């Protein structure tokens, strides 16, 4: 905030997050129409590089990217790749639109890291134990929703009752997700029953998972719920809501679900992303992973 209580403009914010003022129009247009989570993550990545290099993006050279990469030697490979991918995307975009005289990131090689997805997939008994240990009904419903549908945390927090359509005891959730794509997600009968039990407002725009005040649940608060549940269950410190998404995909495929159904449920653009979890035989109905909880 600035004097008088007025919010700062994007340009003013750029003056103290490391991004040079002349570069703010470039960053702003690059981030336009992306999801809130993507905007926050990408801007943080780009601002970190801007603080490191200390000069406008028009003056950035390949050596600057290489130096930033080397400075992150203590970070996980996936973290370095994510940050550098965001920066390369910005530099390519800026050059194509004429903001930048050259694309400094074009020659930078991003190495493929080791695929350690298996380390982030929990067994079904562990997931069910993690959910069962949560005694608060609202928080229990959040964990059940994440695992029972494979939604991203931001998608679960944004879900409203108008997005749910009753079907054969369960429901179909219309989800506006990553990349501005809309998909239709199956909600099992047991999960739908639990969601109805924690509903606090009958209006269509009421959140499916309400916050403590009945309003929308903030993503950060939801993240804390998942982290506390994971800690109680004795899981790794880096366990997160996305681990429940991974578990959903893996356990559905293990249960014999058709890989194309799982792809559609998760909103994966590429089938190859889904098949990383396992190979599966064809079935027509998704398994109710919460049955027996």
């Amino acid at each position: 905030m600035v004097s008088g209580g007025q919010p700062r403009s994007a340009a003013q914010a750029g003056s103290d997050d490391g991004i040079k003022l002349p570069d703010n129009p470039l960053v702003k247009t690059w981030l336009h129409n992306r999801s809130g989570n993507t905007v926050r993550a990408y801007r943080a990545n780009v601002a970190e590089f801007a603080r490191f290099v200390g000069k406008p993006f028009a003056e950035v050279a390949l050596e600057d990217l290489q130096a930033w990469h080397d400075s992150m030697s203590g970070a996980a490979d996936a973290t370095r790749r994510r940050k550098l991918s965001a920066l390369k995307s910005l530099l390519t975009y800026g050059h194509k639109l004429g903001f930048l005289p050259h694309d400094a990131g074009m020659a930078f090689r991003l190495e493929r890291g080791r695929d350690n997805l298996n380390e982030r997939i929990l067994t079904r008994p562990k997931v069910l134990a993690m959910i069962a240990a949560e005694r608060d009904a609202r928080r229990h419903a959040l964990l059940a929703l994440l695992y029972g549908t494979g939604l991203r945390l931001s998608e679960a927090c944004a879900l409203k009752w108008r997005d749910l359509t009753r079907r054969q005891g369960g429901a179909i959730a219309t989800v506006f997700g990553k990349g501005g794509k809309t998909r239709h997600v199956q909600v099992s009968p047991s999960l739908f029953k639990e969601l109805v039990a924690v509903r606090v407002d009958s209006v269509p725009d009421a959140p499916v998972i309400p916050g403590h005040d009945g309003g929308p649940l903030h993503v950060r608060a939801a993240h804390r719920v998942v982290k506390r549940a994971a800690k109680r269950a004795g899981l790794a410190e880096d366990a997160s809501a996305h681990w429940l998404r991974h578990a959903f995909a893996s356990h559905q495929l293990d249960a014999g679900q058709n890989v194309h159904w799982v792809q559609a449920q998760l909103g994966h653009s590429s089938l190859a992303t889904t098949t990383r979890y396992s190979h599966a035989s064809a079935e027509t109905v998704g398994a109710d992973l919460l049955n027996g909880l």
Side-chain angles (χ1 to χ4, degrees):
M1 302 290 287
V2 295
S3 60
Q6 296 299 316
R8 292 179 299 185
S9 67
Q12 287 173 308
S15 65
D16 57 20
D17 69 358
I19 298 174
K20 302 298 182 183
L21 291 178
D23 289 326
N24 265 294
L26 165 62
V27 176
K28 182 178 180 180
T29 58
W30 174 61
L31 294 175
H32 182 66
N33 269 353
R34 298 182 189 266
S35 71
N37 287 338
T38 299
V39 168
R40 286 188 290 272
Y42 279 16
R43 186 174 181 96
N45 295 157
V46 170
E48 181 181 324
F49 173 76
R51 290 191 297 271
F52 173 83
V53 76
K55 57 186 176 183
F57 293 136
E59 299 176 14
V60 167
L62 174 61
E63 294 78 18
D64 296 316
L65 276 74
Q66 293 172 334
W68 190 43
H69 171 274
D70 294 344
S71 75
M72 294 186 286
S73 59
D77 289 343
T79 300
R80 288 200 291 183
R81 285 196 304 275
R82 185 183 69 249
K83 292 180 178 181
L84 284 157
S85 292
L87 180 62
K88 280 170 60 67
S89 171
L90 172 66
L91 296 177
T92 298
Y93 170 86
H95 178 55
K96 284 182 177 179
L97 266 66
F99 276 102
L100 305 177
H102 59 276
D103 181 359
M106 183 169 59
F108 186 88
R109 295 188 300 275
L110 276 176
E111 296 181 355
R112 280 188 173 274
R114 172 178 172 267
D115 188 347
N116 62 349
L117 178 62
N118 65 299
E119 298 174 8
R120 304 192 301 278
I121 295 179
L122 304 168
T123 65
R124 185 165 178 262
K126 282 187 176 180
V127 175
L128 292 180
M130 171 185 170
I131 298 174
E134 178 57 72
R135 300 305 180 190
D136 179 84
R138 181 175 55 86
R139 295 170 184 167
H140 188 285
L142 170 65
L143 298 174
L145 177 63
L146 292 170
Y147 176 55
T149 60
L151 292 182
R152 299 177 179 90
L153 191 62
S154 58
E155 294 170 344
C157 291
L159 200 64
K160 299 177 180 180
W161 278 102
R162 70 164 58 255
D163 301 323
L164 295 184
T165 304
R166 288 290 303 272
R167 293 285 173 84
Q168 298 179 348
I172 298 295
T174 300
V175 178
F176 184 70
K178 187 176 181 180
K181 298 177 181 178
T182 299
R183 69 185 191 278
H184 303 288
V185 173
Q186 180 178 316
V187 177
S188 69
S190 63
L191 175 56
F192 184 71
K193 182 179 180 180
E194 179 169 358
L195 297 177
V196 170
V198 299
R199 187 172 185 176
V200 296
D201 196 327
S202 60
V203 300
D205 281 331
V208 172
I209 302 294
H212 65 86
D213 59 354
L217 179 64
H218 196 281
V219 172
R220 287 196 296 270
H223 175 73
R224 290 194 294 270
V225 170
V226 176
K227 296 296 280 188
R228 285 195 293 265
K231 184 176 181 180
R232 280 195 303 268
L235 303 181
E237 289 186 3
D238 54 345
S240 68
H242 223 68
W243 286 37
L244 296 179
R245 180 173 164 87
H246 294 324
F248 168 87
S250 178
H251 300 168
Q252 285 285 5
L253 292 172
D254 289 347
Q257 182 51 259
N258 183 289
V259 66
H260 293 282
W261 181 91
V262 177
Q263 178 189 14
Q265 188 87 357
L266 296 174
H268 287 159
S269 298
S270 169
L271 186 62
T273 303
T274 311
T275 54
R276 289 174 64 204
Y277 294 96
S278 71
H279 298 287
S281 58
E283 294 289 345
T284 57
V285 178
D288 184 351
L289 298 177
L290 295 162
N291 185 31
L293 181 62

